[in-house]
Amino acid sequence: MAQNASDYSNDSFQLYDLRVEVVCPPNERIQCGARHGDSFTLQGEMLYLPPDQGFSIYSLGAVLPLLAAKQRVTHPNDWMTTDAEIACPDPNCKSRLKITRMGLRTFRHSEVTVVPLVKQD
């Protein structure tokens, strides 16, 4: 029988904050408009850029599908745990996008959705 979320005393879960940073090899021409060290952070669902810094939408498009998975705790042997660099989507650009897991942040299910928790039997 399903159980309503109000019966749960703890509806919390944790996600990693992430930092995504551009890594450019020395003396290489970078096509995407990025500079070595350009970055953004992801905290929960919120993406933050440093003041006066942009980020290519094409580079963002390459890394975006991986961010939700990188935020979650994964098995130590999972490639999502160990692999951290994504190639620039421009095949002529040598830059990479490095995803670094930062500290864990705690969220509550009841604060991020209106869909109730239902205990599975």
Side-chain angles (χ1 to χ4, degrees):
M1 179 168 158
Q3 193 169 7
N4 192 307
S6 63
D7 298 333
Y8 293 140
S9 61
N10 183 359
D11 69 343
S12 67
F13 64 98
Q14 293 185 310
L15 297 175
Y16 283 101
D17 288 345
L18 302 177
R19 176 180 170 85
V20 178
E21 182 176 9
V22 176
V23 178
C24 300
N27 304 318
E28 291 286 346
R29 182 171 176 209
I30 303 305
Q31 305 300 117
C32 62
R35 294 180 315 256
H36 183 79
D38 283 355
S39 67
F40 67 83
T41 57
L42 183 64
Q43 298 173 2
E45 66 183 58
M46 300 303 295
L47 187 145
Y48 297 94
L49 287 166
D52 300 319
Q53 184 210 284
F55 207 87
S56 163
I57 62 168
Y58 306 109
S59 295
L60 184 60
V63 74
L64 195 59
L66 302 172
L67 297 181
K70 288 295 276 186
Q71 284 185 301
R72 277 138 178 92
V73 176
T74 51
H75 189 278
N77 297 340
D78 188 333
W79 72 269
M80 192 58 71
T81 304
T82 59
D83 296 19
E85 291 193 5
I86 311 305
C88 177
D90 183 332
N92 297 307
C93 185
K94 306 261 193 221
S95 71
R96 301 184 74 71
L97 305 164
K98 182 178 179 183
I99 304 171
T100 303
R101 287 176 164 171
M102 310 302 275
L104 285 167
R105 186 178 300 267
T106 301
F107 296 88
R108 294 192 60 206
H109 182 272
S110 60
E111 293 172 350
V112 298
T113 184
V114 297
V115 177
L117 281 173
V118 176
K119 184 176 181 181
Q120 301 296 317
D121 292 329

